[in-house]
Amino acid sequence: MTETTRTVPEQARPADELTQADIDRQMAREREAYEKRLAEGAEPSHHPRREYAPYRSSALRHPTQPPVVIDTRLDPEAVELSSPAFGETDVTELDSDLTRQHQGEPLGERITVSGRLLDREGRPVRGQLIELWQANASGRYAHQRDQHPAPLDPHFTGVGRVLTGDDGSYRFTTIKPGAYPWRNHTNAWRPAHIHFSLFGSAFTQRLVTQMYFPGDPLFAYDPILQSVTDEAARARLVAAYDHDLSRPEWSLGYHWDIVLDGPAATWIEEGR
Amino acid sequence: MSSHTRPAPTPSHTVGPFYGYALPFPGGPDAAPHAHPDTVTVHGRVLDGAGAPVPDALLEFWGPDAEGRLPRRGGSLRRDPVTGGFLGRNGVDFTGFTRVATDADGHWAIRTLRPGARDGRAPYLSVCVFARGLTHHLFTRVYVPDASGSGAEADPLLAALPAERRATLLATPEPHATYRFDLRLQGPDETVFLEFS
């Protein structure tokens, strides 16, 4: 990079010419601001702020008014304290094995991902729906608008779903997704990740998030992961390699537990 | 409070741009059983802070039937074990759950049952908003008046809001049991978004 580009303020150039160095500076500012809030006594933030400049698409899509807080203890019949239910008609056995949904085997490194879905009291969330989607081993989504010039895999769609067991457990067989470029800034790359969608026993616990793989060198460069400014919270998005979950001559195993936030009627009753 | 250590929650992330082949499902926007007399259509647009349509938002609605009962029933996204595709809803059972993606113009429409009041409060559907660019989903409510056109007067949430903010949560009646509800993520007419404690 030349001295000229380093000294021009990022706002002075078109947004599509933002460099990784520009984004790095913005992310550092956000981290410093968060650490300052912590030092001033703020509680740790488990979730990203909706206003996060380094992730440019957030600029016009975050509310500027603070949310209105509803104390569910004062409204035990609130619709949000119960949740949509899903059952055996909503999931087939093949839905949790993303390597068996086509005529042939997908390319890539076969993995299993398993863990438990818990509420914020640490209790298992039973019989609820987990949905998952991901890019293929080359980093390409089976989505028409993904124009990354990496090959599609005719044997891999990258969509799965499962119902959690009585102990909140889930298991998927899939392939490890590839990293891919995106247009947040010049030379922006997403670390390999799997998207997860989760329901709890209350709609307040609804969660959509992404799971990462340990040791990915792209973590520090990615404004989506770094939008979670709390380091310990970020670490909770990274699965653990678990050799006991690896199957001989077949697949590598990753363990990832998911903890839903938000109040639920059950814990309020039981917590008294 | 319980004495054991509570695990820290898993952080939220954006739904991103490429959920469209994974999360929407056939029949997702149509929760009302066929020819049900309490069927309402609710529709609107999702707009960003510049007033531009958001073509890559995903909305979920959760609400009771006309008697205010919340179903505990699966069957929203029935799978076909023969083809690996979707069967669609069975047209009889009401699950209370709809999911709809916005179109290229930021528009969406759902057909569900007119929500009934619970606990004497104004009837509403709970709404959860996901979008590319939105790092953490947003909750709001769409208050749908009862068939006589009343119902929103005595609600504690609505009563606590200034009139112009309250209006962002009220569905506007149109002909044929249809209601308009636009969502503004940012700006002067920004929708009221909710947090639950």
Side-chain angles (χ1 to χ4, degrees):
Chain A
M1 197 168 62
T2 68
E3 192 59 35
T4 314
T5 53
R6 203 179 298 137
T7 52
V8 173
E10 55 237 47
Q11 285 81 9
R13 278 177 276 129
D16 58 2
E17 289 180 21
L18 284 177
T19 64
Q20 183 68 50
D22 296 326
I23 296 296
D24 289 347
R25 274 193 292 274
Q26 291 184 6
M27 293 192 294
R29 279 202 293 271
E30 295 282 350
R31 265 196 306 278
E32 282 160 22
Y34 173 66
E35 273 149 28
K36 183 156 177 280
R37 290 196 294 275
L38 276 186
E40 289 167 356
E43 291 287 311
S45 293
H46 300 304
H47 298 288
R49 284 195 154 193
R50 295 184 180 92
E51 178 179 14
Y52 187 72
Y55 177 29
R56 286 171 38 210
S57 307
S58 72
L60 291 170
R61 295 183 170 195
H62 69 271
T64 54
Q65 303 254 14
V68 174
V69 178
I70 292 186
D71 183 346
T72 54
R73 288 168 303 185
L74 304 178
D75 188 4
E77 296 299 315
V79 167
E80 293 89 353
L81 285 177
S82 62
S83 174
F86 300 90
E88 60 184 14
T89 62
D90 297 313
V91 173
T92 69
E93 200 181 321
L94 276 180
D95 288 347
S96 60
D97 188 342
L98 286 73
T99 68
R100 290 170 62 208
Q101 297 173 353
H102 296 274
Q103 299 281 337
E105 287 267 329
L107 294 171
E109 181 181 315
R110 191 183 297 109
I111 60 172
T112 58
V113 179
S114 76
R116 293 208 301 157
L117 181 63
L118 306 168
D119 69 14
R120 67 185 191 185
E121 293 295 310
R123 284 184 296 237
V125 177
R126 302 183 172 95
Q128 257 303 10
L129 180 68
I130 298 183
E131 298 164 285
L132 145 175
W133 71 103
Q134 62 169 89
N136 69 21
S138 308
R140 179 86 181 263
Y141 285 89
H143 188 293
Q144 187 164 292
R145 290 189 62 193
D146 184 359
Q147 294 298 309
H148 173 35
L152 284 164
D153 184 341
H155 300 310
F156 191 74
T157 305
V159 177
R161 56 186 76 71
V162 75
L163 296 178
T164 56
D166 282 346
D167 56 353
S169 63
Y170 74 90
R171 174 185 294 263
F172 288 100
T173 302
T174 183
I175 53 99
K176 189 176 178 186
Y180 59 84
W182 61 310
R183 289 176 180 167
N184 189 67
H185 54 279
T186 302
N187 208 16
W189 288 82
R190 294 294 330 278
H193 60 275
I194 298 178
H195 296 265
F196 275 74
S197 159
L198 309 126
F199 290 83
S201 59
F203 204 45
T204 58
Q205 297 171 296
R206 189 79 178 89
L207 177 68
V208 164
T209 188
Q210 300 175 24
M211 183 207 92
Y212 297 87
F213 292 86
D216 194 315
L218 291 170
F219 285 165
Y221 303 96
D222 179 33
I224 294 203
L225 176 57
Q226 299 298 326
S227 72
V228 180
T229 47
D230 186 88
E231 187 178 359
R234 267 198 315 278
R236 295 197 292 276
L237 291 172
V238 183
Y241 172 70
D242 185 340
H243 200 65
D244 290 337
L245 289 175
S246 293
R247 291 169 58 194
E249 326 258 329
W250 188 250
S251 62
L252 293 174
Y254 290 89
H255 184 95
W256 191 51
D257 288 336
I258 305 151
V259 179
L260 301 180
D261 207 349
T266 47
W267 76 258
I268 290 171
E269 285 158 14
E270 291 170 20
R272 277 179 188 146
Chain B
M1 297 307 283
S2 52
S3 55
H4 67 276
T5 309
R6 295 169 66 185
T10 305
S12 167
H13 256 12
T14 178
V15 74
F18 297 136
Y19 56 81
Y21 71 103
L23 294 182
F25 55 91
D30 298 313
H34 290 165
H36 197 294
D38 297 321
T39 300
V40 291
T41 298
V42 185
H43 75 117
R45 292 171 84 206
V46 181
L47 302 168
D48 72 11
V54 176
D56 42 17
L58 183 80
L59 307 182
E60 291 180 347
F61 297 81
W62 165 235
D65 66 14
E67 281 72 47
R69 292 175 303 215
L70 286 161
R72 287 291 304 161
R73 183 185 288 128
S76 291
L77 55 145
R78 289 193 311 150
R79 304 284 291 153
D80 184 346
V82 178
T83 65
F86 288 93
L87 287 168
R89 298 174 194 257
N90 68 11
V92 177
D93 294 320
F94 177 62
T95 68
F97 176 67
T98 56
R99 179 184 280 172
V100 64
T102 53
D103 65 18
D105 197 29
H107 186 258
W108 56 273
I110 61 163
R111 275 156 290 276
T112 189
L113 296 184
R114 183 188 300 279
R118 290 168 59 78
D119 213 13
R121 302 184 182 212
Y124 62 90
L125 305 173
S126 178
V127 188
C128 191
V129 183
F130 303 92
R132 179 179 68 83
L134 187 57
T135 60
H136 189 181
H137 58 261
L138 288 164
F139 282 111
T140 185
R141 288 174 175 177
V142 49
Y143 282 83
V144 179
D146 66 24
S148 69
S150 63
E153 293 79 12
D155 188 83
L157 168 61
L158 295 176
L161 295 171
E164 70 278 7
R165 298 227 72 208
R166 183 188 312 136
T168 70
L169 300 183
L170 305 179
T172 307
E174 294 179 343
H176 312 301
T178 297
Y179 295 87
R180 175 87 190 197
F181 181 66
D182 291 323
L183 275 154
R184 292 178 176 82
L185 299 180
Q186 190 186 85
D189 301 321
E190 186 174 298
T191 301
V192 169
F193 294 104
L194 306 174
E195 196 171 278
F196 299 95
S197 67

